[in-house]
Amino acid sequence: MLEQSKFRDRRYADVVLKEIERLSSGEDIRIVHVCGTHEHTITHNGIRTILPDHIDLVAGPGCPVCVCAAEDIDKAIELARRDHIITTFGDMIRVPATDSTLAKERTAGADIRVVYGPNDAVEIARKNPDRETIFVGVGFETTAPTMGVEILKGPPDNFSILTSLKLIPPAMHLLVNLEGFDVDGFITPGHVSTIIGTEVYQNIAHDYSVPCVAAGFEPLDVLESIRMILLQIQEGRAESENEYSRVVRPEGNPAARKILDEAFKIDDAPWRGLGEIEDSGYFLRDEFSEHDTREQYDFPEMESVDILPGCLCHKVILGMANPTDCSLFGNRCTPDDPYGPCMVGHEGTCRIRAEGMDLEQ
Ligand code: SF4
């Protein structure tokens, strides 16, 4: 309790804010984070409202549900219609695919079950040996080890994973190479960095001269990471630093990284609305193909649609548009009735903004 209150103390915040003002010296600066939980902290604590106007704090692709390609959900829907058991995380069932959602399929009679993790899905497979059980595995480096563990343990024959697992550093590479979108600093994601560490961002920092700072999730963590980025800029440095050292180690979590190495290979992967990003996805290694949904089932030719008419999610995911730039925000598209993927989950930029609008005024 004491520890948490320390990171919410207004007096500390005032000191850090004064330093931010001093270090930023009036120049326009864009700082990008790539984490839905950071966006939640920023929006729900009104952090944008207390920063100097010339600091643009932008949400990048940090929501795993939002970046799950429509074709992956279309495949899950296709398998649900074949009377297999589909299991996945709660947020996933409301994400719009090309012409349906898993929730709509469930209403129509499909066997779609929300689980807390892949271990629950394996348990369902064990209890239903006569039926195929598919786990729709969505997530970043943080979630992937939980799936890797189940695969390495040897699940039952009737269990497979439809992986939609993404790596964050390739998305950061994409952002720094976007035309007309300057990134002056990255707040790197706390949860992901717990697994992969902070050393992995050094090449982004050095190659593109963009300071990177891993941050925790309290308001003062975010402010302090901004101060650290500005200090690097002022001193002419670009390095990967760690504000969240009470949790994140430079090398990450070796045990979790070993699981990732043993269970997965890395290959190009489709991100919703962004197309394929090179070496940005975890896929099961060939020796586990009997548990790889993509290898075990034939799918018809699909013409999947990532971005529905009028939706700006492809720009919101990149930080190139604000949720409020979308004409559907708050009317056709709401947390209760989402039209685009960014309005569905608790890490979606549009949903966070919709639920925190009052604090942003
Ligand atoms: S408000 Fe809805 S439709 Fe518009 S960008 Fe956000 S999620 Fe997409």
Side-chain angles (χ1 to χ4, degrees):
M1 202 56 197
L2 267 177
E3 182 70 1
Q4 189 185 48
S5 62
K6 192 173 99 185
F7 287 95
R8 290 170 178 255
D9 190 316
R10 180 72 210 203
R11 287 166 306 168
Y12 287 126
D14 284 341
V15 171
V16 179
L17 269 171
K18 278 207 175 69
E19 267 300 284
I20 287 174
E21 273 165 30
R22 185 183 72 78
L23 290 166
S24 60
S25 66
E27 284 177 28
D28 285 345
I29 288 172
R30 179 181 288 134
I31 295 175
V32 179
H33 72 77
V34 282
C35 172
T37 312
H38 279 150
E39 182 55 30
H40 195 275
T41 298
I42 290 163
T43 298
H44 286 265
N45 290 283
I47 286 180
R48 287 190 181 88
T49 65
I50 58 173
L51 288 175
D53 287 345
H54 53 272
I55 296 183
D56 189 15
L57 188 54
V58 172
C63 162
V65 165
C66 309
V67 299
C68 175
E71 67 178 75
D72 291 342
I73 310 170
D74 286 340
K75 285 191 171 105
I77 288 171
E78 167 69 20
L79 295 172
R81 289 173 180 170
R82 294 182 201 171
D83 204 27
H84 300 316
I85 301 172
I86 305 296
T87 60
T88 193
F89 298 120
D91 280 349
M92 274 304 294
I93 72 165
R94 294 199 309 148
V95 180
T98 301
D99 56 14
S100 186
T101 64
L102 288 168
K104 284 181 188 162
E105 298 298 316
R106 184 166 69 175
T107 303
D111 191 349
I112 291 163
R113 307 185 193 187
V114 171
V115 292
Y116 287 113
N119 54 327
D120 292 339
V122 169
E123 201 48 39
I124 289 170
R126 286 214 169 88
K127 287 180 177 159
N128 296 272
D130 300 332
R131 296 182 65 197
E132 298 293 316
T133 298
I134 291 113
F135 178 67
V136 184
V138 173
F140 292 129
E141 292 93 331
T142 331
T143 325
T146 64
M147 297 171 215
V149 163
E150 294 305 322
I151 291 299
L152 295 174
K153 281 198 295 197
D157 292 346
N158 62 328
F159 174 82
S160 68
I161 300 184
L162 178 55
T163 53
S164 187
L165 296 167
K166 308 287 195 295
L167 288 80
I168 284 289
M172 292 167 65
H173 277 275
L174 178 85
L175 288 173
V176 287
N177 283 301
L178 283 177
E179 216 167 297
F181 186 79
D182 293 334
V183 179
D184 298 304
F186 276 118
I187 299 175
T188 53
H191 295 137
V192 165
S193 302
T194 305
I195 304 296
I196 65 174
T198 53
E199 286 162 2
V200 292
Y201 309 114
Q202 284 294 9
N203 63 341
I204 294 174
H206 292 160
D207 293 354
Y208 301 101
S209 298
V210 175
C212 298
V213 176
F217 300 103
E218 295 296 334
L220 256 169
D221 284 317
V222 174
L223 286 177
E224 175 62 8
S225 67
I226 293 170
R227 187 197 68 79
M228 290 169 71
I229 287 170
L230 295 174
L231 184 63
Q232 286 198 43
I233 292 172
Q234 197 202 51
E235 293 178 348
R237 294 183 292 118
E239 295 162 15
S240 174
E241 292 184 331
N242 187 8
E243 184 279 334
Y244 199 24
S245 57
R246 62 191 188 278
V247 174
V248 171
R249 301 281 167 268
E251 70 282 10
N253 180 328
R257 292 178 71 165
K258 185 165 180 281
I259 291 166
L260 289 174
D261 287 346
E262 289 176 0
F264 300 107
K265 60 187 178 185
I266 292 173
D267 207 342
D268 303 348
W271 292 55
R272 189 154 191 163
L274 312 185
E276 290 229 325
I277 302 181
E278 192 180 346
D279 289 340
S280 69
Y282 286 118
F283 298 89
L284 288 180
R285 284 188 174 278
D286 296 345
E287 56 264 42
F288 304 116
S289 62
E290 73 268 33
H291 298 297
D292 186 343
T293 305
R294 295 171 201 281
E295 298 296 327
Q296 291 304 309
Y297 300 92
D298 288 326
F299 294 97
E301 204 63 36
M302 290 177 175
E303 294 199 4
S304 297
V305 177
D306 271 348
I307 302 301
L308 302 174
C311 172
L312 290 186
C313 278
H314 52 307
K315 292 188 174 171
V316 171
I317 287 169
L318 286 174
M320 298 182 85
N322 270 313
T324 47
D325 294 336
C326 177
S327 63
L328 308 178
F329 180 83
N331 45 72
R332 169 63 189 86
C333 186
T334 64
D336 287 338
D337 186 14
Y339 178 74
C342 297
M343 190 59 92
V344 177
H346 293 282
E347 294 177 285
T349 304
C350 293
R351 174 160 176 181
I352 294 168
R353 215 59 70 83
E355 292 177 339
M357 281 294 277
D358 293 347
L359 292 156
E360 293 257 294
Q361 305 303 317

